[in-house]
Amino acid sequence: MTIEYIITEHIQRAVSELYQTEIGIDNIVIQETRKEFEGQVTVVTFPFTRISKKTPEQTGVELGEYLKEHITEVVEFNVIKGFLNLSIADSYWIDQLLNNVLSQGFGQFPSNGKRVMVEYSSPNTNKPLHLGHVRNNLLGYSVAAILTANGYEVIKVNLVNDRGIHICKSMLAWQLFGNGETPESSGLKGDHLVGKYYVIFDQEYKKQIADLIQAGETEENAKKNAVLIKMAQQMLLDWEAGNVEIMALWSMMNTWVYAGFEQTYNMLGVDFAKYYYESDTYLLGKDIIDEGLEKGVFFKKEDGSVWIDLTEDGLDLKLVLRADGTSVYITQDLGTAQLKFDDFNVDKSIYVVGNEQDYHFKVLFLILQKLGKSWADGLYHLSYGMVDLPSGKMKSREGTVVDADELMDDMIRTAQERTEELGKVDGFSDDEKADLYNMIGLGALKFFLLKVEPKKRLLFDPNESIDFQGHTGPFIQYTHARICSVLAKANYSSKLTLSHSPELTMLEKELIVNLSKYPGFIAAAAKEYSPAHIANYIFELAKLFNKFYHEESILKAEDLNVKNFRLDLAAATASIINKGMALLGIRVPERM
RNA sequence: GCACCUGUAGCUUAAUUGGAUAGAGCACCUGACUACGGAUCAGGAGGUUAGGGGUUCGACUCCCUUCAGGUGCACCA
């Protein structure tokens, strides 16, 4: 039972006894005491003044006296303005450390019996992954890990966009200009090879447009009538008709792409329980259209197209089926949402998709609610801001992207240079070195992307490579390695028993207070689907530990009991760093 | 034009969801026991929280308004 809980209960009793009024939990605000004041736990007394009819100070003193008398852990209190600061006994904090923080399951909530799906990554098969995908992948992976820690059963899925006109463009360009080039013959990663032809298509297409304009066509007509775009459109029709030759080309190029993606995902450290493919799902959703028409949620126009009127909800009319009976984007998303639910019977379904699709998901969820789907309330769009460069927006077609593979390679190389400069890898084997550079490079990248609130957009300057000092992944990794080093020197392996409770220093107490807050951050991160909370918490923890480490010696502590206690404290810190970073998909080294 | 999102130190950002003197990191300046690991620690300087109004004991946070930036408003996905 946490001290906050005990205090809350006693405040209810105190208010009832002192002022003869019952108050709800909502009125009780408990927070951590600010560093400049004495105490660890603070109660805000303003909400009670209306009941007590006294000043905030008087109310605070009365409550403080009551709490001190009735709760053994409350040893002292002071009131400053409307804030009642409580000092909690050292014994409580020591008990927290030894029996809570250091226990096996700390930070892992028991199963809540709920199942949640997290869809993320969602690549197109016509181009390699870029920085935007990296943010998406890291967010998806991390949110999945956080939900798991909160007791959910999590199913990670990837919905691959493997069909459509854009896919045909790279296929066509390869057919026309590829000369049979393969990943083997070119030495290119499969996804990069295909991406190369997507760019070539665009270049050739632009040339044709320019030629047509030269010949007197309007720009609009030139775009419509260029031979290449006509051919691509024909190819899409052939694909939909199941043309054998086209299907063979499609599946061959897909195989290349998937091999490339697999490599990138491995490097990023992300994984999926299931892949959905749009080539399988693009025809879904028609039965939902029928259902909606039956229920009167949708209506049909004279031309046969099907619509929904969302004007009462402040939105517009939305087409859900074309006049010719074929699907649009939202049709298949309606169908896919149903499919996911049918496949896994999930309670919640999270879509990790960029904020340019905010409107789309708003509409999608609203339609499903109107259709009366019982699971519609569990749908959530985890929207994140786009990553842009100093030069502006990234465009795959124009080749102005920060490529995911290159970026990771750069990060790892920088980690290597930095580490070698510091001369810290004596006694490492080549494999260990490679693993370490990978850990640090990717740790820096992941922390950089995850420490910012998802919905904020991110500016990424490739020339100013990511820092390795300060508010960074490597700073935290370093702290961890440092603790491991101390523990190794002391031959620490598991929790030490203390002969008696030591008197805590300010910093020790602060550290324990901090450590015991970990589960609260896990819960908050899940509630808001924001790994940034954990990233910033772990950073604060690492910083605090470094301060403690600097000011109070562990191995040279004044007596054995204090030394053992500090070893436990250090071990607990390392453990939380490790757990928290794991939720971000970041590994921490024992030496670096 | 309409809708949604964002705006905090020079830069990158935080603020326990309405609580105390708005915290950090980078960059800049000054320091740290002959270092339990200096990828560290301590200190300095840097803020009208885009501007204006309102709500209340109390506002970066909620409401109104103006400004700036972004995104979306296809029988594309």
Side-chain angles (χ1 to χ4, degrees):
Chain A
M1 194 175 297
T2 65
I3 192 72
E4 286 84 0
Y5 183 81
I6 297 170
I7 292 171
T8 305
E9 267 199 334
H10 279 82
I11 286 180
Q12 283 184 302
R13 271 183 235 168
V15 170
S16 160
E17 279 181 35
L18 295 172
Y19 312 123
Q20 288 76 44
T21 311
E22 304 299 324
I23 55 156
I25 295 183
D26 301 345
N27 292 315
I28 302 174
V29 181
I30 294 182
Q31 59 194 33
E32 194 189 347
T33 305
R34 290 209 149 209
K35 274 186 223 118
E36 54 268 38
F37 304 109
E38 185 79 26
Q40 293 84 46
V41 179
T42 292
V43 180
V44 183
T45 65
F46 292 108
F48 311 129
T49 53
R50 213 169 301 144
I51 297 166
S52 68
K53 306 253 166 41
K54 290 175 183 166
T55 66
E57 289 80 358
Q58 283 172 317
T59 311
V61 170
E62 288 179 0
L63 286 174
E65 274 163 2
Y66 183 94
L67 295 178
K68 187 178 169 186
E69 191 179 326
H70 289 81
I71 306 176
T72 48
E73 287 88 348
V74 175
V75 292
E76 207 48 75
F77 73 90
N78 65 82
V79 180
I80 292 164
K81 295 200 211 166
F83 298 90
L84 168 59
N85 303 319
L86 303 167
S87 297
I88 309 301
D90 285 2
S91 57
Y92 171 82
W93 297 116
I94 292 166
D95 181 67
Q96 277 291 303
L97 177 72
L98 299 180
N99 299 321
N100 196 12
V101 179
L102 275 171
S103 68
Q104 195 61 44
F106 185 70
Q108 170 64 53
F109 288 75
S111 167
N112 61 15
K114 292 196 175 144
R115 189 178 282 181
V116 54
M117 177 175 284
V118 179
E119 177 197 303
Y120 69 105
S121 201
S122 318
N124 291 331
T125 54
N126 61 334
K127 57 191 176 193
L129 303 178
H130 58 65
L131 184 52
H133 295 111
V134 174
R135 188 176 198 193
N136 180 305
N137 279 286
L138 297 179
L139 273 173
Y141 179 89
S142 180
V143 164
I146 289 166
L147 290 170
T148 305
N150 274 273
Y152 287 93
E153 182 192 345
V154 179
I155 299 158
K156 292 181 264 191
V157 304
N158 191 352
L159 177 56
V160 182
N161 184 341
D162 61 345
R163 64 165 293 278
I165 189 79
H166 50 296
I167 309 295
C168 292
K169 288 177 182 174
S170 46
M171 283 162 64
L172 182 63
W174 183 84
Q175 220 176 26
L176 295 175
F177 312 109
N179 296 317
E181 193 176 33
T182 66
E184 290 74 31
S185 76
S186 63
L188 277 174
K189 216 163 144 272
D191 50 337
H192 287 266
L193 179 68
V194 173
K196 175 176 139 188
Y197 285 99
Y198 185 64
V199 173
I200 288 175
F201 176 93
D202 198 57
Q203 289 165 348
E204 296 297 324
Y205 178 40
K206 279 191 174 144
K207 273 187 220 165
Q208 291 190 352
I209 293 171
D211 289 347
L212 288 173
I213 291 174
Q214 196 90 61
E217 289 264 29
T218 65
E219 188 178 339
E220 201 180 328
N221 282 335
K223 281 183 178 167
K224 234 186 294 177
N225 297 328
V227 178
L228 271 176
I229 197 70
K230 290 274 187 201
M231 289 175 80
Q233 280 157 356
Q234 182 56 47
M235 188 181 262
L236 181 60
L237 291 176
D238 290 343
W239 182 93
E240 288 187 2
N243 177 300
V244 176
E245 196 189 327
I246 300 300
M247 294 307 276
L249 173 64
W250 177 68
S251 82
M252 177 179 74
M253 290 179 76
N254 275 350
T255 310
W256 298 344
V257 171
Y258 294 143
F261 282 172
E262 202 51 33
Q263 216 176 310
T264 307
Y265 287 146
N266 279 334
M267 194 64 158
L268 263 178
V270 302
D271 56 4
F272 306 93
K274 179 172 175 74
Y275 283 77
Y276 285 105
Y277 298 93
E278 285 197 12
S279 53
D280 295 329
T281 63
Y282 82 106
L283 294 175
L284 292 177
K286 302 258 175 86
D287 42 351
I288 293 196
I289 301 300
D290 293 340
E291 187 186 332
L293 282 169
E294 225 168 85
K295 289 182 177 168
V297 175
F298 300 150
F299 67 92
K300 200 174 255 186
K301 286 192 180 174
E302 309 83 57
D303 64 359
S305 58
V306 180
W307 298 74
I308 184 167
D309 184 354
L310 297 172
T311 46
E312 276 180 19
D313 300 278
L315 306 175
D316 297 320
L317 288 176
K318 179 82 185 173
L319 175 90
V320 293
L321 196 71
R322 290 193 189 105
D324 62 8
T326 57
S327 316
V328 288
Y329 181 38
I330 202 153
T331 321
Q332 64 173 284
D333 263 7
L334 287 166
T336 309
Q338 180 74 58
L339 176 68
K340 286 169 160 185
F341 178 76
D342 292 344
D343 281 354
F344 292 100
N345 192 25
V346 290
D347 298 286
K348 282 171 181 266
S349 189
I350 318 289
Y351 295 77
V352 184
V353 180
N355 64 7
E356 67 274 13
Q357 295 202 36
D358 283 356
Y359 185 77
H360 171 74
F361 281 102
K362 206 168 173 182
V363 170
L364 177 68
F365 297 166
L366 188 57
I367 291 177
L368 288 166
Q369 270 164 12
K370 286 189 182 292
L371 287 169
K373 298 291 178 189
S374 58
W375 38 270
D377 289 339
L379 299 169
Y380 183 78
H381 173 207
L382 172 47
S383 162
Y384 61 91
M386 51 190 222
V387 184
D388 40 22
L389 306 170
S391 56
K393 197 175 175 177
M394 293 192 283
K395 290 208 173 81
S396 311
R397 274 174 309 185
E398 294 166 16
T400 57
V401 290
V402 175
D403 178 74
D405 297 314
E406 277 175 35
L407 175 62
M408 288 190 281
D409 286 349
D410 281 352
M411 292 304 302
I412 292 167
R413 201 174 320 115
T414 310
Q416 174 173 1
E417 286 164 10
R418 180 90 183 130
T419 308
E420 284 171 354
E421 250 169 56
L422 293 168
K424 293 213 170 191
V425 278
D426 298 339
F428 277 67
S429 72
D430 286 350
D431 281 353
E432 285 170 335
K433 280 185 200 168
D435 192 47
L436 179 67
Y437 301 149
N438 180 297
M439 229 186 273
I440 298 174
L442 288 176
L445 176 63
K446 292 179 180 183
F447 195 86
F448 182 84
L449 293 178
L450 288 176
K451 73 179 180 186
V452 183
E453 281 298 318
K455 72 175 168 184
K456 289 200 173 181
R457 51 188 289 210
L458 211 64
L459 184 78
F460 183 84
D461 188 342
N463 296 319
E464 284 179 30
S465 59
I466 297 169
D467 280 334
F468 284 68
Q469 286 171 38
H471 192 186
T472 67
F475 170 86
I476 296 165
Q477 291 173 320
Y478 173 77
T479 308
H480 183 267
R482 194 184 221 186
I483 295 173
C484 289
S485 166
V486 174
L487 296 179
K489 277 214 170 100
N491 286 318
Y492 182 95
S493 59
S494 61
K495 190 168 79 178
L496 297 165
T497 39
L498 306 179
S499 56
H500 60 276
S501 285
E503 197 175 315
L504 297 181
T505 65
M506 290 298 289
L507 282 173
E508 286 167 344
K509 208 182 290 184
E510 210 182 316
L511 244 185
I512 300 174
V513 171
N514 228 275
L515 288 166
S516 54
K517 287 195 301 188
Y518 178 63
F521 279 93
I522 304 271
K527 198 174 158 216
E528 290 169 42
Y529 304 101
S530 173
H533 283 97
I534 292 176
N536 290 317
Y537 163 75
I538 296 292
F539 172 67
E540 286 302 325
L541 179 65
K543 215 157 45 116
L544 186 57
F545 181 84
N546 280 325
K547 186 174 182 175
F548 160 73
Y549 175 91
H550 212 262
E551 292 186 18
E552 290 164 22
S553 184
I554 298 169
L555 297 178
K556 293 177 198 150
E558 38 304 2
D559 66 62
L560 182 65
N561 196 53
V562 171
K563 174 179 160 184
N564 284 349
F565 168 73
R566 287 183 182 166
L567 283 168
D568 281 338
L569 185 54
T573 307
S575 152
I576 297 303
I577 288 176
N578 194 343
K579 286 179 186 176
M581 291 292 262
L583 295 181
L584 306 176
I586 301 174
R587 295 187 298 146
V588 289
E590 295 188 4
R591 294 187 296 161
M592 68 182 274

